[in-house]
PDB file of all heavy atoms in Angstrom:
ATOM      1  N   LYS A 896     112.881 161.338 247.726  1.00 93.00           N
ATOM      2  CA  LYS A 896     112.229 160.481 248.715  1.00 93.00           C
ATOM      3  C   LYS A 896     112.784 160.683 250.121  1.00 93.00           C
ATOM      4  O   LYS A 896     112.166 160.256 251.102  1.00 93.00           O
ATOM      5  CB  LYS A 896     112.368 159.008 248.309  1.00 93.00           C
ATOM      6  CG  LYS A 896     111.774 158.661 246.955  1.00 93.00           C
ATOM      7  CD  LYS A 896     110.275 158.962 246.924  1.00 93.00           C
ATOM      8  CE  LYS A 896     109.662 158.582 245.564  1.00 93.00           C
ATOM      9  NZ  LYS A 896     108.225 158.960 245.492  1.00 93.00           N
ATOM     10  N   SER A 897     113.937 161.321 250.236  1.00 94.00           N
ATOM     11  CA  SER A 897     114.522 161.527 251.558  1.00 94.00           C
ATOM     12  C   SER A 897     114.033 162.822 252.206  1.00 94.00           C
ATOM     13  O   SER A 897     114.499 163.195 253.276  1.00 94.00           O
ATOM     14  CB  SER A 897     116.054 161.554 251.461  1.00 94.00           C
ATOM     15  OG  SER A 897     116.490 162.701 250.750  1.00 94.00           O
ATOM     16  N   LYS A 898     113.077 163.483 251.560  1.00 95.00           N
ATOM     17  CA  LYS A 898     112.576 164.759 252.080  1.00 95.00           C
ATOM     18  C   LYS A 898     111.080 164.690 252.358  1.00 95.00           C
ATOM     19  O   LYS A 898     110.318 164.105 251.583  1.00 95.00           O
ATOM     20  CB  LYS A 898     112.872 165.898 251.097  1.00 95.00           C
ATOM     21  CG  LYS A 898     114.362 166.135 250.850  1.00 95.00           C
ATOM     22  CD  LYS A 898     114.594 167.322 249.942  1.00 95.00           C
ATOM     23  CE  LYS A 898     116.061 167.463 249.551  1.00 95.00           C
ATOM     24  NZ  LYS A 898     116.926 167.732 250.707  1.00 95.00           N
ATOM     25  N   ARG A 899     110.693 165.268 253.467  1.00 96.00           N
ATOM     26  CA  ARG A 899     109.286 165.475 253.801  1.00 96.00           C
ATOM     27  C   ARG A 899     108.959 166.906 253.391  1.00 96.00           C
ATOM     28  O   ARG A 899     109.499 167.861 253.943  1.00 96.00           O
ATOM     29  CB  ARG A 899     109.035 165.299 255.292  1.00 96.00           C
ATOM     30  CG  ARG A 899     107.599 165.601 255.719  1.00 96.00           C
ATOM     31  CD  ARG A 899     107.423 165.601 257.223  1.00 96.00           C
ATOM     32  NE  ARG A 899     107.625 164.262 257.770  1.00 96.00           N
ATOM     33  CZ  ARG A 899     108.722 163.870 258.399  1.00 96.00           C
ATOM     34  NH1 ARG A 899     109.727 164.729 258.577  1.00 96.00           N
ATOM     35  NH2 ARG A 899     108.849 162.648 258.868  1.00 96.00           N
ATOM     36  N   VAL A 900     108.083 167.072 252.423  1.00 97.00           N
ATOM     37  CA  VAL A 900     107.818 168.395 251.858  1.00 97.00           C
ATOM     38  C   VAL A 900     106.518 168.959 252.434  1.00 97.00           C
ATOM     39  O   VAL A 900     105.449 168.371 252.275  1.00 97.00           O
ATOM     40  CB  VAL A 900     107.752 168.353 250.321  1.00 97.00           C
ATOM     41  CG1 VAL A 900     107.516 169.755 249.760  1.00 97.00           C
ATOM     42  CG2 VAL A 900     109.035 167.770 249.743  1.00 97.00           C
ATOM     43  N   ILE A 901     106.667 170.080 253.116  1.00 97.00           N
ATOM     44  CA  ILE A 901     105.532 170.777 253.725  1.00 97.00           C
ATOM     45  C   ILE A 901     105.344 172.108 253.010  1.00 97.00           C
ATOM     46  O   ILE A 901     106.307 172.819 252.745  1.00 97.00           O
ATOM     47  CB  ILE A 901     105.786 171.063 255.228  1.00 97.00           C
ATOM     48  CG1 ILE A 901     106.268 169.811 255.952  1.00 97.00           C
ATOM     49  CG2 ILE A 901     104.534 171.644 255.880  1.00 97.00           C
ATOM     50  CD1 ILE A 901     105.287 168.688 256.019  1.00 97.00           C
ATOM     51  N   ALA A 902     104.106 172.461 252.711  1.00 98.00           N
ATOM     52  CA  ALA A 902     103.816 173.763 252.090  1.00 98.00           C
ATOM     53  C   ALA A 902     102.897 174.565 252.986  1.00 98.00           C
ATOM     54  O   ALA A 902     102.004 174.017 253.633  1.00 98.00           O
ATOM     55  CB  ALA A 902     103.181 173.585 250.719  1.00 98.00           C
ATOM     56  N   GLN A 903     103.122 175.868 253.043  1.00 98.00           N
ATOM     57  CA  GLN A 903     102.200 176.787 253.707  1.00 98.00           C
ATOM     58  C   GLN A 903     101.701 177.784 252.667  1.00 98.00           C
ATOM     59  O   GLN A 903     102.438 178.187 251.759  1.00 98.00           O
ATOM     60  CB  GLN A 903     102.873 177.505 254.876  1.00 98.00           C
ATOM     61  CG  GLN A 903     104.093 178.339 254.513  1.00 98.00           C
ATOM     62  CD  GLN A 903     104.551 179.235 255.649  1.00 98.00           C
ATOM     63  OE1 GLN A 903     103.770 179.996 256.198  1.00 98.00           O
ATOM     64  NE2 GLN A 903     105.837 179.138 255.991  1.00 98.00           N
ATOM     65  N   ILE A 904     100.434 178.179 252.800  1.00 98.00           N
ATOM     66  CA  ILE A 904      99.814 179.084 251.830  1.00 98.00           C
ATOM     67  C   ILE A 904      99.373 180.358 252.539  1.00 98.00           C
ATOM     68  O   ILE A 904      98.582 180.311 253.485  1.00 98.00           O
ATOM     69  CB  ILE A 904      98.587 178.432 251.150  1.00 98.00           C
ATOM     70  CG1 ILE A 904      98.965 177.074 250.542  1.00 98.00           C
ATOM     71  CG2 ILE A 904      98.015 179.353 250.081  1.00 98.00           C
ATOM     72  CD1 ILE A 904      97.768 176.273 250.072  1.00 98.00           C
ATOM     73  N   ALA A 905      99.863 181.494 252.068  1.00 97.00           N
ATOM     74  CA  ALA A 905      99.513 182.781 252.671  1.00 97.00           C
ATOM     75  C   ALA A 905      98.073 183.162 252.338  1.00 97.00           C
ATOM     76  O   ALA A 905      97.538 182.764 251.296  1.00 97.00           O
ATOM     77  CB  ALA A 905     100.462 183.864 252.168  1.00 97.00           C
ATOM     78  N   PRO A 906      97.414 183.930 253.221  1.00 97.00           N
ATOM     79  CA  PRO A 906      96.008 184.307 252.986  1.00 97.00           C
ATOM     80  C   PRO A 906      95.747 184.952 251.635  1.00 97.00           C
ATOM     81  O   PRO A 906      94.764 184.634 250.975  1.00 97.00           O
ATOM     82  CB  PRO A 906      95.722 185.284 254.135  1.00 97.00           C
ATOM     83  CG  PRO A 906      96.649 184.863 255.225  1.00 97.00           C
ATOM     84  CD  PRO A 906      97.905 184.406 254.528  1.00 97.00           C
ATOM     85  N   ALA A 907      96.630 185.864 251.197  1.00 97.00           N
ATOM     86  CA  ALA A 907      96.359 186.636 249.977  1.00 97.00           C
ATOM     87  C   ALA A 907      96.409 185.790 248.712  1.00 97.00           C
ATOM     88  O   ALA A 907      95.838 186.169 247.687  1.00 97.00           O
ATOM     89  CB  ALA A 907      97.360 187.790 249.860  1.00 97.00           C
ATOM     90  N   VAL A 908      97.068 184.636 248.776  1.00 98.00           N
ATOM     91  CA  VAL A 908      97.180 183.773 247.587  1.00 98.00           C
ATOM     92  C   VAL A 908      95.812 183.250 247.179  1.00 98.00           C
ATOM     93  O   VAL A 908      95.483 183.158 245.986  1.00 98.00           O
ATOM     94  CB  VAL A 908      98.152 182.609 247.855  1.00 98.00           C
ATOM     95  CG1 VAL A 908      98.185 181.630 246.675  1.00 98.00           C
ATOM     96  CG2 VAL A 908      99.550 183.136 248.148  1.00 98.00           C
ATOM     97  N   ARG A 909      94.986 182.927 248.158  1.00 97.00           N
ATOM     98  CA  ARG A 909      93.700 182.268 247.884  1.00 97.00           C
ATOM     99  C   ARG A 909      92.694 183.160 247.185  1.00 97.00           C
ATOM    100  O   ARG A 909      91.698 182.662 246.649  1.00 97.00           O
ATOM    101  CB  ARG A 909      93.120 181.723 249.186  1.00 97.00           C
ATOM    102  CG  ARG A 909      92.649 182.757 250.186  1.00 97.00           C
ATOM    103  CD  ARG A 909      92.547 182.192 251.595  1.00 97.00           C
ATOM    104  NE  ARG A 909      93.884 181.910 252.117  1.00 97.00           N
ATOM    105  CZ  ARG A 909      94.136 181.165 253.184  1.00 97.00           C
ATOM    106  NH1 ARG A 909      93.145 180.634 253.861  1.00 97.00           N
ATOM    107  NH2 ARG A 909      95.374 180.968 253.584  1.00 97.00           N
ATOM    108  N   VAL A 910      92.906 184.484 247.195  1.00 97.00           N
ATOM    109  CA  VAL A 910      91.958 185.383 246.531  1.00 97.00           C
ATOM    110  C   VAL A 910      92.545 185.981 245.252  1.00 97.00           C
ATOM    111  O   VAL A 910      91.982 186.920 244.698  1.00 97.00           O
ATOM    112  CB  VAL A 910      91.510 186.519 247.484  1.00 97.00           C
ATOM    113  CG1 VAL A 910      90.621 185.971 248.589  1.00 97.00           C
ATOM    114  CG2 VAL A 910      92.707 187.272 248.055  1.00 97.00           C
ATOM    115  N   ALA A 911      93.666 185.431 244.784  1.00 97.00           N
ATOM    116  CA  ALA A 911      94.296 185.982 243.579  1.00 97.00           C
ATOM    117  C   ALA A 911      94.685 184.913 242.563  1.00 97.00           C
ATOM    118  O   ALA A 911      94.661 185.175 241.360  1.00 97.00           O
ATOM    119  CB  ALA A 911      95.541 186.790 243.963  1.00 97.00           C
ATOM    120  N   LEU A 912      95.043 183.720 243.013  1.00 97.00           N
ATOM    121  CA  LEU A 912      95.522 182.701 242.073  1.00 97.00           C
ATOM    122  C   LEU A 912      94.502 182.399 240.986  1.00 97.00           C
ATOM    123  O   LEU A 912      94.856 182.165 239.830  1.00 97.00           O
ATOM    124  CB  LEU A 912      95.885 181.407 242.817  1.00 97.00           C
ATOM    125  CG  LEU A 912      96.416 180.294 241.909  1.00 97.00           C
ATOM    126  CD1 LEU A 912      97.835 180.602 241.441  1.00 97.00           C
ATOM    127  CD2 LEU A 912      96.380 178.942 242.594  1.00 97.00           C
ATOM    128  N   GLY A 913      93.233 182.419 241.325  1.00 96.00           N
ATOM    129  CA  GLY A 913      92.187 182.104 240.348  1.00 96.00           C
ATOM    130  C   GLY A 913      92.218 182.982 239.121  1.00 96.00           C
ATOM    131  O   GLY A 913      91.758 182.566 238.039  1.00 96.00           O
ATOM    132  N   GLU A 914      92.763 184.196 239.238  1.00 96.00           N
ATOM    133  CA  GLU A 914      92.851 185.106 238.092  1.00 96.00           C
ATOM    134  C   GLU A 914      93.688 184.503 236.972  1.00 96.00           C
ATOM    135  O   GLU A 914      93.483 184.813 235.794  1.00 96.00           O
ATOM    136  CB  GLU A 914      93.432 186.450 238.535  1.00 96.00           C
ATOM    137  CG  GLU A 914      92.555 187.203 239.526  1.00 96.00           C
ATOM    138  CD  GLU A 914      93.279 188.351 240.202  1.00 96.00           C
ATOM    139  OE1 GLU A 914      94.161 188.973 239.562  1.00 96.00           O
ATOM    140  OE2 GLU A 914      92.987 188.626 241.379  1.00 96.00           O
ATOM    141  N   GLU A 915      94.653 183.658 237.347  1.00 95.00           N
ATOM    142  CA  GLU A 915      95.493 183.007 236.340  1.00 95.00           C
ATOM    143  C   GLU A 915      94.726 181.948 235.553  1.00 95.00           C
ATOM    144  O   GLU A 915      95.205 181.463 234.533  1.00 95.00           O
ATOM    145  CB  GLU A 915      96.699 182.362 237.022  1.00 95.00           C
ATOM    146  CG  GLU A 915      97.727 183.341 237.556  1.00 95.00           C
ATOM    147  CD  GLU A 915      98.417 184.082 236.430  1.00 95.00           C
ATOM    148  OE1 GLU A 915      98.892 183.436 235.478  1.00 95.00           O
ATOM    149  OE2 GLU A 915      98.477 185.323 236.483  1.00 95.00           O
ATOM    150  N   PHE A 916      93.549 181.600 236.045  1.00 95.00           N
ATOM    151  CA  PHE A 916      92.756 180.560 235.391  1.00 95.00           C
ATOM    152  C   PHE A 916      91.369 181.058 235.018  1.00 95.00           C
ATOM    153  O   PHE A 916      90.406 180.292 234.933  1.00 95.00           O
ATOM    154  CB  PHE A 916      92.668 179.333 236.311  1.00 95.00           C
ATOM    155  CG  PHE A 916      94.011 178.753 236.652  1.00 95.00           C
ATOM    156  CD1 PHE A 916      94.674 179.136 237.817  1.00 95.00           C
ATOM    157  CD2 PHE A 916      94.649 177.876 235.781  1.00 95.00           C
ATOM    158  CE1 PHE A 916      95.927 178.631 238.115  1.00 95.00           C
ATOM    159  CE2 PHE A 916      95.911 177.376 236.080  1.00 95.00           C
ATOM    160  CZ  PHE A 916      96.549 177.748 237.243  1.00 95.00           C
ATOM    161  N   GLY A 917      91.271 182.370 234.792  1.00 93.00           N
ATOM    162  CA  GLY A 917      90.050 182.955 234.267  1.00 93.00           C
ATOM    163  C   GLY A 917      89.002 183.325 235.281  1.00 93.00           C
ATOM    164  O   GLY A 917      87.890 183.720 234.905  1.00 93.00           O
ATOM    165  N   LEU A 918      89.317 183.229 236.572  1.00 95.00           N
ATOM    166  CA  LEU A 918      88.351 183.589 237.604  1.00 95.00           C
ATOM    167  C   LEU A 918      88.480 185.067 237.969  1.00 95.00           C
ATOM    168  O   LEU A 918      89.454 185.718 237.620  1.00 95.00           O
ATOM    169  CB  LEU A 918      88.550 182.709 238.845  1.00 95.00           C
ATOM    170  CG  LEU A 918      88.435 181.198 238.602  1.00 95.00           C
ATOM    171  CD1 LEU A 918      88.691 180.434 239.895  1.00 95.00           C
ATOM    172  CD2 LEU A 918      87.064 180.839 238.031  1.00 95.00           C
ATOM    173  N   ASN A 919      87.514 185.568 238.684  1.00 95.00           N
ATOM    174  CA  ASN A 919      87.495 186.986 239.042  1.00 95.00           C
ATOM    175  C   ASN A 919      88.385 187.269 240.254  1.00 95.00           C
ATOM    176  O   ASN A 919      88.549 186.410 241.125  1.00 95.00           O
ATOM    177  CB  ASN A 919      86.070 187.436 239.355  1.00 95.00           C
ATOM    178  CG  ASN A 919      85.164 187.407 238.145  1.00 95.00           C
ATOM    179  OD1 ASN A 919      85.600 187.716 237.034  1.00 95.00           O
ATOM    180  ND2 ASN A 919      83.911 187.045 238.354  1.00 95.00           N
ATOM    181  N   PRO A 920      88.950 188.480 240.341  1.00 95.00           N
ATOM    182  CA  PRO A 920      89.703 188.856 241.541  1.00 95.00           C
ATOM    183  C   PRO A 920      88.832 188.705 242.784  1.00 95.00           C
ATOM    184  O   PRO A 920      87.655 189.064 242.772  1.00 95.00           O
ATOM    185  CB  PRO A 920      90.054 190.331 241.294  1.00 95.00           C
ATOM    186  CG  PRO A 920      90.016 190.485 239.806  1.00 95.00           C
ATOM    187  CD  PRO A 920      88.934 189.558 239.331  1.00 95.00           C
ATOM    188  N   GLY A 921      89.423 188.163 243.847  1.00 95.00           N
ATOM    189  CA  GLY A 921      88.691 187.983 245.092  1.00 95.00           C
ATOM    190  C   GLY A 921      87.998 186.646 245.227  1.00 95.00           C
ATOM    191  O   GLY A 921      87.521 186.297 246.309  1.00 95.00           O
ATOM    192  N   GLU A 922      87.933 185.888 244.128  1.00 96.00           N
ATOM    193  CA  GLU A 922      87.292 184.572 244.205  1.00 96.00           C
ATOM    194  C   GLU A 922      88.207 183.617 244.963  1.00 96.00           C
ATOM    195  O   GLU A 922      89.378 183.459 244.631  1.00 96.00           O
ATOM    196  CB  GLU A 922      86.991 184.042 242.806  1.00 96.00           C
ATOM    197  CG  GLU A 922      86.071 182.846 242.814  1.00 96.00           C
ATOM    198  CD  GLU A 922      85.377 182.614 241.478  1.00 96.00           C
ATOM    199  OE1 GLU A 922      85.297 183.560 240.656  1.00 96.00           O
ATOM    200  OE2 GLU A 922      84.924 181.481 241.261  1.00 96.00           O
ATOM    201  N   VAL A 923      87.669 182.971 245.980  1.00 96.00           N
ATOM    202  CA  VAL A 923      88.461 182.119 246.868  1.00 96.00           C
ATOM    203  C   VAL A 923      88.641 180.734 246.252  1.00 96.00           C
ATOM    204  O   VAL A 923      87.665 180.058 245.918  1.00 96.00           O
ATOM    205  CB  VAL A 923      87.790 181.995 248.253  1.00 96.00           C
ATOM    206  CG1 VAL A 923      88.610 181.088 249.161  1.00 96.00           C
ATOM    207  CG2 VAL A 923      87.617 183.373 248.882  1.00 96.00           C
ATOM    208  N   THR A 924      89.900 180.326 246.118  1.00 97.00           N
ATOM    209  CA  THR A 924      90.196 179.034 245.473  1.00 97.00           C
ATOM    210  C   THR A 924      91.069 178.152 246.353  1.00 97.00           C
ATOM    211  O   THR A 924      91.773 177.283 245.848  1.00 97.00           O
ATOM    212  CB  THR A 924      90.914 179.273 244.130  1.00 97.00           C
ATOM    213  OG1 THR A 924      92.122 180.014 244.375  1.00 97.00           O
ATOM    214  CG2 THR A 924      90.044 180.024 243.143  1.00 97.00           C
ATOM    215  N   ILE A 925      91.011 178.335 247.673  1.00 97.00           N
ATOM    216  CA  ILE A 925      91.950 177.653 248.549  1.00 97.00           C
ATOM    217  C   ILE A 925      91.841 176.132 248.457  1.00 97.00           C
ATOM    218  O   ILE A 925      92.851 175.415 248.491  1.00 97.00           O
ATOM    219  CB  ILE A 925      91.799 178.135 250.016  1.00 97.00           C
ATOM    220  CG1 ILE A 925      92.965 177.628 250.865  1.00 97.00           C
ATOM    221  CG2 ILE A 925      90.462 177.764 250.596  1.00 97.00           C
ATOM    222  CD1 ILE A 925      94.318 178.118 250.432  1.00 97.00           C
ATOM    223  N   GLY A 926      90.631 175.598 248.323  1.00 97.00           N
ATOM    224  CA  GLY A 926      90.467 174.147 248.221  1.00 97.00           C
ATOM    225  C   GLY A 926      91.159 173.572 247.004  1.00 97.00           C
ATOM    226  O   GLY A 926      91.790 172.500 247.065  1.00 97.00           O
TER     227      GLY A 926
END
């Protein structure tokens, strides 16, 4: 609770993470 946690997401992450959940390469999942 004593920390303010900020995250930044690199561009390439949004077109690859979906592959871990059965989506196709290049599919944008940033939302």
Side-chain angles (χ1 to χ4, degrees):
K896 301 300 181 184
S897 67
K898 298 184 187 296
R899 176 188 294 103
V900 182
I901 311 295
Q903 60 169 307
I904 306 170
V908 175
R909 69 200 69 195
V910 290
L912 181 73
E914 296 166 33
E915 289 293 310
F916 301 94
L918 302 178
N919 293 323
E922 193 160 340
V923 179
T924 58
I925 191 62

